Amino acid sequence: LRALRQFPGLTTIHDIGLFYLYELERPGIDAMLAEMERATPRLAPTYGRHWKQLGIKTGANYALFDMQRELLAGSSGVVVHSHFAKAKLSAIYGEAATRHVSVIPHFAPPLNMAGQQEARQKLGLPQDAFIVTTSGFATQAKRFDWLMQALEEILATGTELIWVHAGEERPSEYALSAELRQYPLLRERARFTGYIDEDTLNAQISACDVLVNLRFPSVGESSGSLARAFSAGRCCLVTDTASYRELPRDAVVHLPVLNPVPALVAALTALRSDPELLRGIGENARRFAHGPLSLEVVGRQYRDAIEATAEAAMSRPGLLPRPKPPATLPCLTVDGTAGLNRQAISRLLHGQDGSCQILLRFGSLQDIAHASQRQAPLLRGLLPEHARLVDMRVLSGSGGDTLLPPDIARQCGILLQLDLSGARA
């Protein structure tokens, strides 16, 4: 929030409820009541009175007071991960306040994950077990109560399985281990990992047969673990609500909010008894990850959103004003695609003194990216010892930088401003 106030721009909202964030940023009930009043004026007096006078604060506060007004007003553009999230913001704040909101899905990371057998061997999990996995911090909204009841019923039929929760317990928020004591059969077959690093999380997801990712109530959040499971080609069970309703029907198994336990029992039983069905849904999930959720597709959407908001006039108090170079500053040009080296730059700078600019000219931004990969890091060792780098800008060729002469602003490349005062030494 403090960064948003100092450097406003395009903002991505992963979670449509920021009540908890404001609690962390503004401790004290009076400060929070003031924020609630600004966020949802019609509801704040009633819930604020309950909280302050009666000491009652329930989960309803986190669902009803999304606290997005400041973020929407202070951003040149806003990205959410689902149409549900955008519709919710529009319903609360109106069409005018959300006109700059774009929907870009949560990307699926291009992970190089181990195969299922290799992952199980690494984690010490049996190769022949049917493994159901949940992940992330344990919270009430992830409906472990539904899942534990369903798994206990399946085990009571004599069907074997293992439940792994790959994530940290927070007993103050949800007492997962205490709840598990109610289910004696499941208790013997449950494994809780505690907090794990990213590589271990990837292995746990790769090792499972089914990833269960339930949410109710949902405030429109998206799930990074779910995106990882798609990349791994795992069959996932989700709640048929909010943003999860927008997932392809052939790439996940949607479970109803009403009477969910029988549906969980039926789905898990069917998937365990039909390996082809399990693999088919997982492969559809993998194709979904490699298509609409790929970095290439999502990256293009972010590029379009950034360019659409680039000209928005916004006060950025955290930025120092960029010094405008003198209009007469000489600019030397070198072909960046021909292979860059210190000798070529030294020859170009021969006879120069004081301040100057060098334009490393490329045909496109993609050419710059390729050169950076071939010669990484691109600028290290490129400049002679007497040249000090003062400023650097990447030029897209759009001509939109008004601080530069038009003939330079229309170029595509890397513009270096140098101080050559050391040349006399």
Side-chain angles (χ1 to χ4, degrees):
L1 280 174
R2 289 190 287 271
L4 171 68
R5 292 163 188 152
Q6 293 293 306
F7 309 99
L10 184 75
T11 306
T12 297
I13 311 174
H14 177 80
D15 197 332
I16 306 303
L18 298 184
F19 190 93
Y20 182 65
L21 179 60
Y22 273 91
E23 277 190 302
L24 294 176
E25 199 247 353
R26 297 196 173 185
I29 189 170
D30 290 323
M32 277 300 295
L33 293 178
E35 287 295 341
M36 290 165 63
E37 178 72 26
R38 282 189 283 270
T40 314
R42 293 183 180 180
L43 295 175
T46 299
Y47 284 84
R49 185 177 68 254
H50 290 170
W51 189 3
K52 186 167 186 176
Q53 297 180 8
L54 304 177
I56 298 174
K57 188 191 75 166
T58 69
N61 292 54
Y62 297 89
L64 296 175
F65 298 94
D66 57 73
M67 314 295 253
Q68 302 282 0
R69 184 178 300 276
E70 179 184 11
L71 186 144
L72 289 169
S75 302
S76 58
V78 174
V79 172
V80 296
H81 293 321
S82 68
H83 294 281
F84 172 88
K86 180 174 182 179
K88 181 182 179 185
L89 292 175
S90 297
I92 296 172
Y93 297 104
E95 187 66 30
T98 55
R99 192 172 291 119
H100 61 333
V101 176
S102 303
V103 177
I104 301 177
H106 189 300
F107 73 91
L111 302 171
N112 184 19
M113 300 178 76
Q116 188 178 65
Q117 291 183 338
E118 180 184 348
R120 291 189 177 193
Q121 184 175 7
K122 173 184 176 181
L123 298 169
L125 294 169
Q127 295 288 347
D128 58 347
F130 184 77
I131 298 177
V132 177
T133 294
T134 52
S135 63
F137 294 113
T139 64
Q140 188 170 8
K142 293 183 179 180
R143 305 318 307 225
F144 292 103
D145 53 340
W146 296 351
L147 178 62
M148 287 188 288
Q149 184 179 342
L151 294 178
E152 184 78 3
E153 291 184 15
I154 293 173
L155 290 168
T157 67
T159 302
E160 281 299 323
L161 56 80
I162 293 175
W163 172 36
V164 176
H165 177 62
E168 183 179 342
E169 290 187 73
R170 291 176 173 175
S172 59
E173 295 184 27
Y174 186 76
L176 183 60
S177 292
E179 290 286 329
L180 181 61
R181 296 192 194 106
Q182 303 177 44
Y183 304 100
L185 297 176
L186 181 60
R187 188 171 63 239
E188 299 300 319
R189 297 160 177 84
R191 302 187 182 188
F192 294 172
T193 68
Y195 186 83
I196 54 178
D197 59 31
E198 184 178 1
D199 288 341
T200 308
L201 174 61
N202 289 341
Q204 290 287 359
I205 290 174
S206 184
C208 77
D209 292 290
V210 174
L211 183 86
V212 178
N213 196 287
L214 306 180
R215 291 290 192 284
F216 189 79
S218 171
V219 294
E221 72 275 23
S222 47
S223 169
S225 297
L226 192 63
R228 288 174 186 273
F230 292 159
S231 293
R234 290 294 167 263
C235 177
C236 301
L237 273 58
V238 301
T239 314
D240 193 14
T241 186
S243 60
Y244 298 98
R245 297 201 73 181
E246 299 172 28
L247 298 172
R249 296 278 152 174
D250 61 349
V252 297
V253 177
H254 289 86
L255 299 168
V257 172
L258 298 177
N259 211 17
V261 174
L264 267 168
V265 171
L268 289 170
T269 301
L271 292 168
R272 192 189 187 290
S273 62
D274 191 342
E276 288 301 315
L277 176 63
L278 187 70
R279 280 193 292 269
I281 297 173
E283 285 305 311
N284 289 341
R286 195 195 305 273
R287 282 191 287 271
F288 182 49
H290 292 172
L293 303 190
S294 67
L295 280 179
E296 291 78 12
V297 174
V298 172
R300 286 195 295 269
Q301 292 175 280
Y302 264 101
R303 178 199 61 198
D304 294 343
I306 290 168
E307 292 182 351
T309 61
E311 302 304 320
M314 303 209 67
S315 171
R316 294 183 170 89
L319 293 180
L320 296 174
R322 179 181 289 175
K324 185 176 181 179
T328 57
L329 202 62
C331 184
L332 311 173
T333 302
V334 61
D335 184 1
T337 62
L340 298 169
N341 56 68
R342 177 180 287 190
Q343 292 73 26
I345 299 299
S346 296
R347 288 193 297 270
L348 187 68
L349 294 176
H350 182 70
Q352 296 290 329
D353 193 13
S355 296
C356 77
Q357 297 179 114
I358 292 181
L359 175 63
L360 310 178
R361 189 167 56 198
F362 291 85
S364 66
L365 292 175
Q366 190 172 23
D367 290 340
I368 298 177
H370 289 162
S372 300
Q373 290 177 321
R374 290 194 307 270
Q375 194 173 331
L378 184 61
L379 299 182
R380 180 178 292 177
L382 189 62
L383 300 177
E385 293 180 0
H386 70 276
R388 183 173 67 90
L389 182 62
V390 177
D391 188 29
M392 179 185 74
R393 304 186 204 181
V394 176
L395 307 180
S396 66
S398 64
D401 195 331
T402 57
L403 295 180
L404 297 175
D407 58 328
I408 296 179
R410 286 192 293 268
Q411 300 290 330
C412 181
I414 303 175
L415 182 66
L416 309 177
Q417 182 180 339
L418 305 178
D419 175 14
L420 304 177
S421 57
R424 297 188 186 90

